[in-house]
Each structure stands twice: as structure tokens, then as C-alpha cells.
Amino acid sequence: MSTTNVYQALAAMIAYPRDRQELLDSYAVVARHLQERGLKLPTALFGETVTSSSLAELQEAYVALFDFNAAMAPYLGHHLYGDNQKKGTYLIGLKGEFRRFDFRPASNELPDHLEILLRFLAHLDQHERPAFLRSQMLAGLHKLEQAFAQRSDCPWAYTIAATGAICAADCEEVTSC
């Protein structure tokens, strides 16, 4: 399984839920990747939640968690800079990186949304990812992981922890972050 597929699966897991089967398939890809790499994370809660919940329940839980709770917002710029001019500079820089690598997000989300950033990582070559991870993602992702560490009862806490572990491991495989 390629790292590209893993990043696509993580992106699907952090996106607004549209299809339960896609979430389950993505969860299986990520869990298998973590197991193959020896990265141990508690995975059961996400899979159990997706299996036992209707799509409407998943969507409701997603909105309650990500849209109505700024501490859990999947926007890395928010975690890095709050709402000031530095965040605007960060967003412009991300758009510049997207143009430089001929990446066009499929949604209208802001460029710092974790789903968009994961899809961009899937788009990048394995040798291009470490520099982007270091300069644009790891610090914000670490802050988001810290917020979710307090919410171990939340199914998406697994997704955030898995994203952090996979990004850190990917960065280390190619070059030291």
C-alpha cells in the first residue's frame, strides 16, 4: 500500500462524512498501515463508531466536534496563529505551494483545512513531502493533537493521532524533520 493511498484515506476520515463505507474502507487502510509500520494507536473507537452510527449521526457528531468547537477545528492556521495577520500570510503561502506543485483542491475549504493538506501530501512526491511537513504542517498538527489528547473518548481523536504519527514517520523515512 502506498503512502499516497494512506494520505487519501486520512483525508477521507477527516472530511465531513458523506459515505459510511468510504469511512470504513479508509479506516481499514490507515489501521493496516499503522500496524505494518509498528505504530500502535487505539483504533477500535473510530471503527466501532462508524459501524454503529448512521450517516446522519456521524454528520451531526462531526459538526458538533469540528464546527462548534474552536479548540478542535481542523484548520492548522487557527492553531498556529489564531485570527491575526500571520494566519493570512500562512494561507497565502499554502496557496502558493499548491500552485507550485499544480494542485487544485477539489473543495472550497480554506487551504489550511487538514483534509486539504492531507490530499496535498498525497499529491506530492515522497521526496517533496518532508520539507512541506516541516515548514507548513507539523507544528500546527502537533497543537491539534494536543487538543485531541484531552478527548480520548472522541472517535476523531484517533484520526488526528494517526495523522500525526504517519506524518512524523513519513518525514523521518526520507530525511530528518
Side-chain angles (χ1 to χ4, degrees), residues 65-85:
L65 177 67
F66 290 114
D67 293 350
F68 296 127
N69 189 345
M72 307 297 179
Y75 299 94
L76 297 190
H78 168 75
H79 296 283
L80 288 169
Y81 305 110
D83 288 324
N84 66 40
Q85 288 179 324

Side-chain angles (χ1 to χ4, degrees), residues 35-48:
Q35 182 179 25
E36 289 171 358
R37 297 290 189 283
L39 301 169
K40 299 196 185 314
L41 292 170
T43 61
L45 183 58
F46 187 87
E48 290 170 4

Side-chain angles (χ1 to χ4, degrees), residues 1-129:
M1 150 185 16
S2 76
T3 305
T4 296
N5 292 341
V6 173
Y7 281 124
Q8 289 289 8
L10 284 168
M13 290 170 66
I14 198 67
Y16 179 77
R18 293 189 188 343
D19 183 307
R20 284 179 64 240
Q21 190 58 52
E22 179 186 23
L23 284 173
L24 288 170
D25 292 345
S26 296
Y27 164 73
V29 166
V30 170
R32 188 171 54 248
H33 180 80
L34 289 169
Q35 182 179 25
E36 289 171 358
R37 297 290 189 283
L39 301 169
K40 299 196 185 314
L41 292 170
T43 61
L45 183 58
F46 187 87
E48 290 170 4
T49 301
V50 173
T51 301
S52 66
S53 302
S54 70
L55 182 58
E57 290 169 330
L58 291 169
Q59 291 170 336
E60 183 179 334
Y62 182 94
V63 168
L65 177 67
F66 290 114
D67 293 350
F68 296 127
N69 189 345
M72 307 297 179
Y75 299 94
L76 297 190
H78 168 75
H79 296 283
L80 288 169
Y81 305 110
D83 288 324
N84 66 40
Q85 288 179 324
K86 289 182 180 179
K87 179 179 167 186
T89 302
Y90 175 68
L91 295 174
I92 291 167
L94 289 174
K95 285 185 172 185
E97 288 294 294
F98 294 172
R99 278 190 305 276
R100 183 165 80 103
F101 289 99
D102 197 30
F103 174 74
R104 290 175 191 81
S107 75
N108 292 327
E109 279 292 351
L110 291 171
D112 67 333
H113 191 285
L114 189 52
E115 174 197 2
I116 302 300
L117 293 170
L118 290 166
R119 294 200 188 280
F120 182 62
L121 288 173
H123 176 81
L124 291 176
D125 177 85
Q126 71 176 6
H127 297 290
E128 298 163 338
R129 284 193 297 261

